[in-house]
Amino acid sequence: MATGETGFEDVAYDLISVQYHSLKAGHDYGQYVRDADNAGLQDIAAFFREVMEQDSARARRCHEFLRQISGTEQGGPATQ
């Protein structure tokens, strides 16, 4: 069982990292949507909304995987 420098299982750390970055990006995309809306560029605003939804789904999926490995050996010490 390999652990990263943090002492946590690499998979748990990786999932948390992807989840964090997806949520952070989703927050930032909200501003991009407003910018495109304010510029009257509805097709671009729709694109940013789509990207935001994809990141939200990605973060949700990470959460599901983290619950799946919680309490298991694969989850590492943070999830036991």
Side-chain angles (χ1 to χ4, degrees):
M1 172 173 18
T3 58
E5 293 180 24
T6 62
F8 296 99
E9 270 304 301
D10 289 344
V11 173
Y13 175 85
D14 296 345
L15 285 167
I16 291 166
S17 180
V18 169
Q19 184 179 42
Y20 168 79
H21 290 289
S22 295
L23 292 170
K24 173 72 171 99
H27 179 268
D28 294 343
Y29 296 149
Q31 182 61 51
Y32 304 166
V33 169
R34 286 187 294 278
D35 291 345
D37 278 338
N38 290 339
L41 301 168
Q42 296 311 308
D43 54 339
I44 296 173
F47 167 74
F48 288 136
R49 284 187 187 94
E50 180 182 324
V51 171
M52 189 166 38
E53 289 171 12
Q54 291 168 353
D55 271 322
S56 180
R58 191 173 295 110
R60 229 181 348 271
R61 190 142 187 234
C62 286
H63 188 73
E64 292 167 6
F65 282 132
L66 286 164
R67 285 186 16 208
Q68 178 182 322
I69 65 172
S70 178
T72 68
E73 223 173 88
Q74 290 89 359
T79 60
Q80 290 183 356

